[in-house]
Amino acid sequence: MATQEHAGWPARLNVVTGKGGTGKTTVAAALAIALATGGRRVLLVEVEGRQGIAQLFELPPLPYEERVIAAAPGGGEVNALAIDAEQALLEYLDMFYRLGMAGRALQKMGAIDFATTIAPGMRDVLLTGKLKEAVTRTVDGRRVYDAVVVDAPPTGRIGRFLNVTAETARLAKVGPIKSQSEGVSAVLRSPMTAVHVVTMLEEMPVQETTDAIVELRGLGIPIGSVIVNATRAPMLAGVRVSQAEIRRGLTQAGVSADRDTVAGLVTEAKAYQTRLGVEAALRDDLAALGRPVVELPALVDGVTREGLDILARTLLRAS
Amino acid sequence: MTDGSCGFDGVAGYARTVMSDHAGRLRSPQLDVDKLLADPGIRIVVCCGSGGVGKTTTAAALGLRAAERHGRRTVVLTIDPARRLAQSMGLSALDNTPRQVKGVDGDGGGELHAMMLDMKRTFDEVVLAHTDAQKAEEIFANPFYQAMSSTFSGTQEYMAMEKLGQLRARGEWDLIVVDTPPSRSALDFLDAPARLSRFLDGRMIRMLLVPARVSGRSMFKLASASFGLFTRAVTKVLGTQLLTDVSTFVAALDSMFGGFRERAERTYRILQNKETAFLVVAAPEPDAIREAAYFADRLAHEQMPLTGLVLNRVTTVAAPAISAETAQAAAVRLDGQSVTADVMRVHSALVEQRARQRAVTERFVSAYPKVPVVEVPVQAADVHDLDGLREIGRSLSGA
C-alpha cells in the first residue's frame, strides 16, 4: 500500500461541504478517486441517508457496510459507506454495554428515534464518532484507509455537525459519551482533518462559503480548499461587441441574419459579459478567504465515471 | 374567465384566458400573477419549492408588486434570504417584527413590510403563550430547550408556519407572502408541525414522565422490563444529570402539548383555506422539477390550493433565428475572427441550454397540464435593490 500523501491534500479526514446544489457529492466522489490514485485505499462516506453515492456510481442502495465501489488509476480503490445513525447507535451502545436483546427492544420501542431526537446532535455525535473510528482504524498496526472523504451536511449545518462533540461534552458532564466526544473533537481539530467547501460562481453559494469558513475558523476546525465547481472558460472578456462587428462576422461565415437577429446576438453577448463580471467579483470574494481555490470544469456530458476522472485529475493537478 | 375568489375552480383560477400561440411556448395555461395579487379574497401566498431556485426573490418580488401595483398592505415573511436581497428590503438582521420597507411607491395605498424569521424567538413566544412566566423561565434555562429550539430538525419549518399563523391572526395585512425554509425536501414544512407535535406527544416522552404519573398503566406493563433496561442504559451512557434535565424539560413542556398540537392544526387549516394560494417555485433543472411535481401531488392530496408554477432562471434566446448547429458551424468557420466566433459559441450554448430546460419542464407540463405556469427569465446579475425586484415582478406578471 502506498503511504505517500498527495501534496496539496495532506489531510486524512477530508470533509466536503457546500451549499445544496453545488455538486458536493460529485466533488467528494472525485476527491476520493483522486486520493486513491496511485494504489491508495480511500473510504468515501455519506452521512445523510440520501444514497447520493449509490446514485452517482449507479449502484443499488449502499448498506451500512464498507465495500469497494470503484477502482482508481494506478491500482487504488475507493470504498464506500452510508452511515445509518440508528445502526451506528446500536453499534455504539454495544461497544460499551452488551445490550443484545435489549438493544432490539429499544429499537422496537422507538427509543433510538427518541434518543436521536431528544438528545440534540446525538445523531451527529454518532456520525462523527464513526468518522473518527474509520480514520484511525488499524489492522496489524497498519492504517486501514489512507484517507477518508466525507460527503458532509451542507454549509448551513456543517459547523453544528462538526462541533456537536463539544456541545455534547457540555450536556453530558460525565460518562463514556463525554470521553468519546472529546476524542472525536480532538481529531476534528487536528491537522489530520480538512474541511473543503464546494461552491459555484453564484451569489448564494459564495456567501454561504464565506459564512461557513468564518464559522469553522471560529470553532478552530481546519479548513482545506475552496473548490469551485462547474466553471467554464470565459469568452468575450473585455471585448466590445457591436452590431457592425457581428454583421461583418456573419457575412464572412456565410450566415444571413436580419436586424433583429443581429440585435439579439448583441443582447445575448452583453448579458454573457455581465455574468462574467459578476463571476469575476465572486472569484475575488473567494480569493479573499485566504484558502487555496481549485476550479473544476463543468461536465458537459453530465456526471459520468469519465467525468469524475476528469475532476479527479484536475483536483490532483491543483495540488 | 373564472372568478379566482370562488375557490372551486382550483388550478385554473388564475390562468389567462388567451393561450399564447408563440412557437416555443409551453402548452400550459399562463399564470396570471396580477389577477392573483389583486384578488382581495387571497390573503396568503405561500412560495414553496426546493432550495436554490429563487424562492425568496420570488416572494419579495410578489410582495412588492402587490403593494405598488395593487394597493395592498403586504407583509413578506422570509426565512433565509441572500444578504443583498435582504438589504434591498432594508433587512439587516433576524427580526421577528415586520418592518416597513422604504422606497416603495405607496400612491395606490399599498405598503410593503418585511421580516426575517427568528426561529429561536418564535419558539420562545410559543412557550410564553402557553405557560406562566416562571415556568417559561425554567424552560428557557433548560439546556435541552436551548438545543432543541435552535437545532431540532423541523423546528424552522414549524416556526415558519407558526409565524404565519401569528401574522394571520393579527389581521393587519391584506396579503401575507411566505417564503418557505430551504428544506432538503420541499415538503418538509408541511410535515414539520405534525412531526413536532407527534414528537412532543410521543410514547417515549410519556415514558420519561412515568415517575411523575400513575404507574402500572397497561401500556407500560409490556414495556416495563425493557424500559428499566432503557433507563439504566441511558443513565449509564448519558449520566443522571442529563436524564434529570430531560425529564424536567419534558415535564415542563407537558402542559403545553395540547397547545402545540392545536396550533399546528390551526395553521394546517389556514393552509387548506381558499384564501391561501400556493405557488410552486422551480428552476428548469431536473431536481427542482422533480420536487415541484412531488409538491403538486402532495398539495392535491392535502386538498391545498395549488395556484401555479413559477419557473425561474429560464434562459432567454434573443436571436432565435439562428440554430445551435448554424452557430457552431459559423464559429468553426470564423476561427481566429474571435469576436463573432465567440458570440456564436455563446449563442449556441444558450440555444442548447434552452432546449434542455424545455425538455425538463415538459415532464412537469405533461403531468400537470392544467397548472398555470409563468416563466421568469434568468437575470444576468443577482437582485440587490427594489428596481431589481420590480423587474422580476414585471416578468412574473408576464409583462
PDB file of all heavy atoms in Angstrom, chain B residues 149-173:
ATOM      1  N   SER B 149     -34.630  24.273  20.511  1.00  0.00           N
ATOM      2  CA  SER B 149     -35.237  25.423  19.861  1.00  0.00           C
ATOM      3  C   SER B 149     -34.361  25.954  18.747  1.00  0.00           C
ATOM      4  O   SER B 149     -34.812  26.724  17.917  1.00  0.00           O
ATOM      5  CB  SER B 149     -35.534  26.517  20.883  1.00  0.00           C
ATOM      6  OG  SER B 149     -34.341  26.920  21.504  1.00  0.00           O
ATOM      7  N   SER B 150     -33.094  25.548  18.727  1.00  0.00           N
ATOM      8  CA  SER B 150     -32.293  26.030  17.605  1.00  0.00           C
ATOM      9  C   SER B 150     -31.805  24.923  16.681  1.00  0.00           C
ATOM     10  O   SER B 150     -31.329  25.210  15.602  1.00  0.00           O
ATOM     11  CB  SER B 150     -31.116  26.881  18.113  1.00  0.00           C
ATOM     12  OG  SER B 150     -30.459  26.198  19.149  1.00  0.00           O
ATOM     13  N   THR B 151     -31.955  23.663  17.088  1.00  0.00           N
ATOM     14  CA  THR B 151     -31.414  22.626  16.205  1.00  0.00           C
ATOM     15  C   THR B 151     -32.370  21.514  15.815  1.00  0.00           C
ATOM     16  O   THR B 151     -32.094  20.786  14.881  1.00  0.00           O
ATOM     17  CB  THR B 151     -30.178  21.933  16.843  1.00  0.00           C
ATOM     18  OG1 THR B 151     -30.611  21.255  18.029  1.00  0.00           O
ATOM     19  CG2 THR B 151     -29.101  22.909  17.185  1.00  0.00           C
ATOM     20  N   PHE B 152     -33.455  21.343  16.519  1.00  0.00           N
ATOM     21  CA  PHE B 152     -34.341  20.225  16.197  1.00  0.00           C
ATOM     22  C   PHE B 152     -34.733  20.274  14.729  1.00  0.00           C
ATOM     23  O   PHE B 152     -35.170  21.307  14.234  1.00  0.00           O
ATOM     24  CB  PHE B 152     -35.587  20.281  17.078  1.00  0.00           C
ATOM     25  CG  PHE B 152     -36.582  19.195  16.800  1.00  0.00           C
ATOM     26  CD1 PHE B 152     -36.270  17.875  17.058  1.00  0.00           C
ATOM     27  CD2 PHE B 152     -37.822  19.486  16.268  1.00  0.00           C
ATOM     28  CE1 PHE B 152     -37.186  16.870  16.796  1.00  0.00           C
ATOM     29  CE2 PHE B 152     -38.742  18.485  16.006  1.00  0.00           C
ATOM     30  CZ  PHE B 152     -38.418  17.177  16.275  1.00  0.00           C
ATOM     31  N   SER B 153     -34.549  19.136  14.057  1.00  0.00           N
ATOM     32  CA  SER B 153     -34.868  19.162  12.630  1.00  0.00           C
ATOM     33  C   SER B 153     -36.368  19.370  12.494  1.00  0.00           C
ATOM     34  O   SER B 153     -37.158  18.656  13.094  1.00  0.00           O
ATOM     35  CB  SER B 153     -34.433  17.859  11.967  1.00  0.00           C
ATOM     36  OG  SER B 153     -35.270  16.803  12.370  1.00  0.00           O
ATOM     37  N   GLY B 154     -36.750  20.369  11.775  1.00  0.00           N
ATOM     38  CA  GLY B 154     -38.162  20.656  11.635  1.00  0.00           C
ATOM     39  C   GLY B 154     -38.584  21.882  12.428  1.00  0.00           C
ATOM     40  O   GLY B 154     -39.658  22.424  12.199  1.00  0.00           O
ATOM     41  N   THR B 155     -37.719  22.327  13.355  1.00  0.00           N
ATOM     42  CA  THR B 155     -38.099  23.499  14.151  1.00  0.00           C
ATOM     43  C   THR B 155     -38.305  24.725  13.256  1.00  0.00           C
ATOM     44  O   THR B 155     -39.259  25.467  13.423  1.00  0.00           O
ATOM     45  CB  THR B 155     -37.025  23.806  15.223  1.00  0.00           C
ATOM     46  OG1 THR B 155     -36.853  22.652  16.033  1.00  0.00           O
ATOM     47  CG2 THR B 155     -37.452  24.952  16.105  1.00  0.00           C
ATOM     48  N   GLN B 156     -37.394  24.880  12.299  1.00  0.00           N
ATOM     49  CA  GLN B 156     -37.516  26.050  11.424  1.00  0.00           C
ATOM     50  C   GLN B 156     -38.824  26.015  10.629  1.00  0.00           C
ATOM     51  O   GLN B 156     -39.527  27.016  10.521  1.00  0.00           O
ATOM     52  CB  GLN B 156     -36.318  26.099  10.475  1.00  0.00           C
ATOM     53  CG  GLN B 156     -36.139  27.449   9.833  1.00  0.00           C
ATOM     54  CD  GLN B 156     -34.929  27.490   8.937  1.00  0.00           C
ATOM     55  OE1 GLN B 156     -34.638  26.548   8.209  1.00  0.00           O
ATOM     56  NE2 GLN B 156     -34.213  28.582   8.979  1.00  0.00           N
ATOM     57  N   GLU B 157     -39.146  24.835  10.116  1.00  0.00           N
ATOM     58  CA  GLU B 157     -40.377  24.690   9.346  1.00  0.00           C
ATOM     59  C   GLU B 157     -41.593  24.960  10.235  1.00  0.00           C
ATOM     60  O   GLU B 157     -42.518  25.668   9.855  1.00  0.00           O
ATOM     61  CB  GLU B 157     -40.484  23.269   8.781  1.00  0.00           C
ATOM     62  CG  GLU B 157     -39.584  22.986   7.591  1.00  0.00           C
ATOM     63  CD  GLU B 157     -38.159  22.675   8.004  1.00  0.00           C
ATOM     64  OE1 GLU B 157     -37.875  22.660   9.220  1.00  0.00           O
ATOM     65  OE2 GLU B 157     -37.325  22.474   7.102  1.00  0.00           O
ATOM     66  N   TYR B 158     -41.551  24.392  11.435  1.00  0.00           N
ATOM     67  CA  TYR B 158     -42.668  24.571  12.350  1.00  0.00           C
ATOM     68  C   TYR B 158     -42.832  26.043  12.700  1.00  0.00           C
ATOM     69  O   TYR B 158     -43.938  26.582  12.712  1.00  0.00           O
ATOM     70  CB  TYR B 158     -42.434  23.754  13.622  1.00  0.00           C
ATOM     71  CG  TYR B 158     -43.538  23.906  14.630  1.00  0.00           C
ATOM     72  CD1 TYR B 158     -44.718  23.186  14.502  1.00  0.00           C
ATOM     73  CD2 TYR B 158     -43.406  24.787  15.700  1.00  0.00           C
ATOM     74  CE1 TYR B 158     -45.742  23.342  15.418  1.00  0.00           C
ATOM     75  CE2 TYR B 158     -44.419  24.946  16.615  1.00  0.00           C
ATOM     76  CZ  TYR B 158     -45.592  24.221  16.484  1.00  0.00           C
ATOM     77  OH  TYR B 158     -46.602  24.392  17.381  1.00  0.00           O
ATOM     78  N   MET B 159     -41.713  26.702  12.971  1.00  0.00           N
ATOM     79  CA  MET B 159     -41.772  28.093  13.393  1.00  0.00           C
ATOM     80  C   MET B 159     -42.206  29.014  12.250  1.00  0.00           C
ATOM     81  O   MET B 159     -42.847  30.031  12.481  1.00  0.00           O
ATOM     82  CB  MET B 159     -40.414  28.534  13.959  1.00  0.00           C
ATOM     83  CG  MET B 159     -40.111  27.873  15.283  1.00  0.00           C
ATOM     84  SD  MET B 159     -41.476  28.093  16.465  1.00  0.00           S
ATOM     85  CE  MET B 159     -41.517  26.491  17.264  1.00  0.00           C
ATOM     86  N   ALA B 160     -41.832  28.643  11.015  1.00  0.00           N
ATOM     87  CA  ALA B 160     -42.277  29.447   9.871  1.00  0.00           C
ATOM     88  C   ALA B 160     -43.807  29.406   9.794  1.00  0.00           C
ATOM     89  O   ALA B 160     -44.462  30.431   9.594  1.00  0.00           O
ATOM     90  CB  ALA B 160     -41.662  28.922   8.582  1.00  0.00           C
ATOM     91  N   MET B 161     -44.368  28.218   9.982  1.00  0.00           N
ATOM     92  CA  MET B 161     -45.818  28.077   9.928  1.00  0.00           C
ATOM     93  C   MET B 161     -46.476  28.751  11.133  1.00  0.00           C
ATOM     94  O   MET B 161     -47.534  29.345  11.034  1.00  0.00           O
ATOM     95  CB  MET B 161     -46.199  26.593   9.866  1.00  0.00           C
ATOM     96  CG  MET B 161     -45.820  25.929   8.550  1.00  0.00           C
ATOM     97  SD  MET B 161     -46.591  26.719   7.100  1.00  0.00           S
ATOM     98  CE  MET B 161     -45.206  27.599   6.410  1.00  0.00           C
ATOM     99  N   GLU B 162     -45.802  28.660  12.283  1.00  0.00           N
ATOM    100  CA  GLU B 162     -46.296  29.310  13.496  1.00  0.00           C
ATOM    101  C   GLU B 162     -46.362  30.826  13.284  1.00  0.00           C
ATOM    102  O   GLU B 162     -47.350  31.483  13.597  1.00  0.00           O
ATOM    103  CB  GLU B 162     -45.368  28.960  14.661  1.00  0.00           C
ATOM    104  CG  GLU B 162     -45.563  29.767  15.931  1.00  0.00           C
ATOM    105  CD  GLU B 162     -46.934  29.594  16.563  1.00  0.00           C
ATOM    106  OE1 GLU B 162     -47.514  28.501  16.417  1.00  0.00           O
ATOM    107  OE2 GLU B 162     -47.425  30.559  17.188  1.00  0.00           O
ATOM    108  N   LYS B 163     -45.283  31.359  12.708  1.00  0.00           N
ATOM    109  CA  LYS B 163     -45.227  32.801  12.475  1.00  0.00           C
ATOM    110  C   LYS B 163     -46.324  33.208  11.496  1.00  0.00           C
ATOM    111  O   LYS B 163     -46.956  34.250  11.664  1.00  0.00           O
ATOM    112  CB  LYS B 163     -43.846  33.176  11.924  1.00  0.00           C
ATOM    113  CG  LYS B 163     -43.516  34.634  12.052  1.00  0.00           C
ATOM    114  CD  LYS B 163     -43.195  34.977  13.488  1.00  0.00           C
ATOM    115  CE  LYS B 163     -43.536  36.421  13.805  1.00  0.00           C
ATOM    116  NZ  LYS B 163     -43.432  36.708  15.255  1.00  0.00           N
ATOM    117  N   LEU B 164     -46.530  32.395  10.491  1.00  0.00           N
ATOM    118  CA  LEU B 164     -47.596  32.674   9.533  1.00  0.00           C
ATOM    119  C   LEU B 164     -48.938  32.746  10.254  1.00  0.00           C
ATOM    120  O   LEU B 164     -49.733  33.667  10.029  1.00  0.00           O
ATOM    121  CB  LEU B 164     -47.624  31.587   8.447  1.00  0.00           C
ATOM    122  CG  LEU B 164     -48.843  31.579   7.523  1.00  0.00           C
ATOM    123  CD1 LEU B 164     -48.912  32.874   6.725  1.00  0.00           C
ATOM    124  CD2 LEU B 164     -48.812  30.382   6.574  1.00  0.00           C
ATOM    125  N   GLY B 165     -49.178  31.793  11.147  1.00  0.00           N
ATOM    126  CA  GLY B 165     -50.415  31.786  11.924  1.00  0.00           C
ATOM    127  C   GLY B 165     -50.558  33.056  12.747  1.00  0.00           C
ATOM    128  O   GLY B 165     -51.625  33.668  12.787  1.00  0.00           O
ATOM    129  N   GLN B 166     -49.451  33.476  13.340  1.00  0.00           N
ATOM    130  CA  GLN B 166     -49.481  34.699  14.161  1.00  0.00           C
ATOM    131  C   GLN B 166     -49.802  35.927  13.311  1.00  0.00           C
ATOM    132  O   GLN B 166     -50.631  36.753  13.685  1.00  0.00           O
ATOM    133  CB  GLN B 166     -48.121  34.935  14.831  1.00  0.00           C
ATOM    134  CG  GLN B 166     -47.809  34.006  15.987  1.00  0.00           C
ATOM    135  CD  GLN B 166     -46.421  34.298  16.565  1.00  0.00           C
ATOM    136  OE1 GLN B 166     -45.824  35.337  16.296  1.00  0.00           O
ATOM    137  NE2 GLN B 166     -45.910  33.363  17.354  1.00  0.00           N
ATOM    138  N   LEU B 167     -49.124  36.037  12.181  1.00  0.00           N
ATOM    139  CA  LEU B 167     -49.341  37.201  11.314  1.00  0.00           C
ATOM    140  C   LEU B 167     -50.789  37.243  10.843  1.00  0.00           C
ATOM    141  O   LEU B 167     -51.428  38.287  10.800  1.00  0.00           O
ATOM    142  CB  LEU B 167     -48.395  37.166  10.108  1.00  0.00           C
ATOM    143  CG  LEU B 167     -46.909  37.381  10.395  1.00  0.00           C
ATOM    144  CD1 LEU B 167     -46.092  37.184   9.128  1.00  0.00           C
ATOM    145  CD2 LEU B 167     -46.659  38.779  10.957  1.00  0.00           C
ATOM    146  N   ARG B 168     -51.299  36.056  10.504  1.00  0.00           N
ATOM    147  CA  ARG B 168     -52.672  35.959  10.028  1.00  0.00           C
ATOM    148  C   ARG B 168     -53.647  36.394  11.122  1.00  0.00           C
ATOM    149  O   ARG B 168     -54.606  37.114  10.873  1.00  0.00           O
ATOM    150  CB  ARG B 168     -52.955  34.513   9.602  1.00  0.00           C
ATOM    151  CG  ARG B 168     -54.360  34.241   9.110  1.00  0.00           C
ATOM    152  CD  ARG B 168     -54.600  34.853   7.746  1.00  0.00           C
ATOM    153  NE  ARG B 168     -56.011  34.827   7.364  1.00  0.00           N
ATOM    154  CZ  ARG B 168     -56.886  35.772   7.700  1.00  0.00           C
ATOM    155  NH1 ARG B 168     -56.503  36.798   8.446  1.00  0.00           N
ATOM    156  NH2 ARG B 168     -58.139  35.688   7.306  1.00  0.00           N
ATOM    157  N   ALA B 169     -53.357  35.956  12.361  1.00  0.00           N
ATOM    158  CA  ALA B 169     -54.254  36.239  13.470  1.00  0.00           C
ATOM    159  C   ALA B 169     -54.297  37.731  13.786  1.00  0.00           C
ATOM    160  O   ALA B 169     -55.311  38.247  14.247  1.00  0.00           O
ATOM    161  CB  ALA B 169     -53.824  35.444  14.699  1.00  0.00           C
ATOM    162  N   ARG B 170     -53.181  38.422  13.519  1.00  0.00           N
ATOM    163  CA  ARG B 170     -53.158  39.854  13.824  1.00  0.00           C
ATOM    164  C   ARG B 170     -54.050  40.657  12.886  1.00  0.00           C
ATOM    165  O   ARG B 170     -54.446  41.775  13.211  1.00  0.00           O
ATOM    166  CB  ARG B 170     -51.719  40.378  13.765  1.00  0.00           C
ATOM    167  CG  ARG B 170     -50.963  40.077  15.064  1.00  0.00           C
ATOM    168  CD  ARG B 170     -49.482  40.270  14.908  1.00  0.00           C
ATOM    169  NE  ARG B 170     -49.120  41.675  14.652  1.00  0.00           N
ATOM    170  CZ  ARG B 170     -47.861  42.086  14.594  1.00  0.00           C
ATOM    171  NH1 ARG B 170     -46.875  41.228  14.748  1.00  0.00           N
ATOM    172  NH2 ARG B 170     -47.584  43.351  14.354  1.00  0.00           N
ATOM    173  N   GLY B 171     -54.317  40.090  11.730  1.00  0.00           N
ATOM    174  CA  GLY B 171     -55.271  40.719  10.811  1.00  0.00           C
ATOM    175  C   GLY B 171     -54.870  42.093  10.309  1.00  0.00           C
ATOM    176  O   GLY B 171     -55.704  42.870   9.855  1.00  0.00           O
ATOM    177  N   GLU B 172     -53.597  42.436  10.392  1.00  0.00           N
ATOM    178  CA  GLU B 172     -53.163  43.786   9.992  1.00  0.00           C
ATOM    179  C   GLU B 172     -52.866  43.893   8.510  1.00  0.00           C
ATOM    180  O   GLU B 172     -52.682  44.991   7.992  1.00  0.00           O
ATOM    181  CB  GLU B 172     -51.882  44.166  10.742  1.00  0.00           C
ATOM    182  CG  GLU B 172     -52.100  44.474  12.199  1.00  0.00           C
ATOM    183  CD  GLU B 172     -50.766  44.717  12.899  1.00  0.00           C
ATOM    184  OE1 GLU B 172     -49.866  45.323  12.279  1.00  0.00           O
ATOM    185  OE2 GLU B 172     -50.635  44.278  14.048  1.00  0.00           O
ATOM    186  N   TRP B 173     -52.751  42.736   7.845  1.00  0.00           N
ATOM    187  CA  TRP B 173     -52.316  42.795   6.453  1.00  0.00           C
ATOM    188  C   TRP B 173     -53.384  42.280   5.490  1.00  0.00           C
ATOM    189  O   TRP B 173     -54.142  41.365   5.823  1.00  0.00           O
ATOM    190  CB  TRP B 173     -51.023  41.984   6.283  1.00  0.00           C
ATOM    191  CG  TRP B 173     -49.878  42.684   6.921  1.00  0.00           C
ATOM    192  CD1 TRP B 173     -49.141  43.701   6.383  1.00  0.00           C
ATOM    193  CD2 TRP B 173     -49.355  42.482   8.237  1.00  0.00           C
ATOM    194  NE1 TRP B 173     -48.196  44.131   7.267  1.00  0.00           N
ATOM    195  CE2 TRP B 173     -48.299  43.404   8.413  1.00  0.00           C
ATOM    196  CE3 TRP B 173     -49.671  41.614   9.284  1.00  0.00           C
ATOM    197  CZ2 TRP B 173     -47.567  43.493   9.584  1.00  0.00           C
ATOM    198  CZ3 TRP B 173     -48.932  41.698  10.452  1.00  0.00           C
ATOM    199  CH2 TRP B 173     -47.901  42.624  10.603  1.00  0.00           C
TER     200      TRP B 173
END
